């Protein structure tokens, strides 16, 4: 007879529900309401990286940011760094907030560029809240092939 796994939690005498299980429930983490929302912008900054035959292209959704609030840098060891800060909206004493979902704070993303990246020719542009960083690639030189006649 095959063993059927028991979903009974013997410690508490309750049925184990894998969909509501909280594995970190007993750890001393602060409640989520106490966690700073300053970091949420860092977590939510999504960046796509695609490689075309000519370049590496990075695209970041940064709605509400001006280009002056974003920095694009390349470090000596071929690391592309994209950072910025979204300021917290000023509170008016007469305002009543019902919900705050837009993130604020600093964000920072770093990408190690491959050997074929031309870090001296990086270009960045921002349009409609989308930052596009283009890193050209070095041209791959096709080796000169010389046919050798075989004697004999």
């Amino acid at each position: 007879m095959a063993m059927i796994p028991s979903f009974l939690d013997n410690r508490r005498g309750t049925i184990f529900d894998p969909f509501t299980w909280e594995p970190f429930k007993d750890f001393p983490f602060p409640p989520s309401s106490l966690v700073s929302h300053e970091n949420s912008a860092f977590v939510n900054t999504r960046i796509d990286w695609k490689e075309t035959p000519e370049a590496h292209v990075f695209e970041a959704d940064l709605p509400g940011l001006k280009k002056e609030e974003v920095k694009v840098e390349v470090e000596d060891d071929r690391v592309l760094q994209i950072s910025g800060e979204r300021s917290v909206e000023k509170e008016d004493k007469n305002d009543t907030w019902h919900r705050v979902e837009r993130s604020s704070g600093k964000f920072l993303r770093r990408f190690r560029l491959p050997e074929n990246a031309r870090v001296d020719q990086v270009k960045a542009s921002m349009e409609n809240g989308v930052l596009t960083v283009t890193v050209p690639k070095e041209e791959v030189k096709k080796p000169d092939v010389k046919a050798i006649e075989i004697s004999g």
Side-chain angles (χ1 to χ4, degrees):
M1 187 163 151
M3 289 285 294
I4 298 174
S6 171
F7 289 106
L8 184 64
D9 184 347
N10 291 331
R11 293 172 290 164
R12 295 187 178 96
T14 58
I15 295 179
F16 173 74
D17 182 359
F19 299 105
T20 59
W21 178 50
E22 295 181 38
F24 303 110
K25 177 177 70 168
D26 297 324
F27 285 89
F29 294 132
S32 61
S33 62
L34 298 179
V35 175
S36 170
H37 292 287
E38 289 280 306
N39 294 330
S40 58
F42 175 84
V43 174
N44 291 329
T45 303
R46 305 280 189 225
I47 298 179
D48 296 337
W49 176 0
K50 70 179 176 183
E51 183 175 354
T52 68
E54 299 81 29
H56 296 275
V57 181
F58 297 82
E59 291 182 323
D61 289 339
L62 303 172
L65 286 183
K66 299 178 190 107
K67 67 180 184 178
E68 296 80 22
E69 298 171 314
V70 179
K71 281 175 43 177
V72 177
E73 302 168 305
V74 178
E75 296 178 358
D76 291 337
D77 51 351
R78 292 185 343 272
V79 174
L80 174 67
Q81 180 171 296
I82 300 171
S83 62
E85 183 170 5
R86 181 175 290 127
S87 302
V88 178
E89 193 169 317
K90 293 179 183 172
E91 291 187 30
D92 187 337
K93 300 286 185 209
N94 298 324
D95 291 343
T96 301
W97 290 86
H98 294 282
R99 186 183 280 306
V100 177
E101 293 185 342
R102 295 183 304 145
S103 57
S104 62
K106 297 179 181 181
F107 69 90
L108 171 72
R109 296 293 306 274
R110 295 170 58 121
F111 301 91
R112 178 162 305 281
L113 298 170
E115 292 285 336
N116 66 351
R118 300 192 71 171
V119 296
D120 58 328
Q121 297 181 6
V122 176
K123 291 189 165 86
S125 64
M126 194 150 164
E127 187 175 333
N128 296 328
V130 178
L131 172 70
T132 302
V133 179
T134 305
V135 184
K137 292 172 23 179
E138 290 180 5
E139 291 182 32
V140 178
K141 290 190 175 186
K142 296 180 182 176
D144 291 333
V145 178
K146 181 180 176 186
I148 309 296
E149 188 177 320
I150 302 172
S151 61

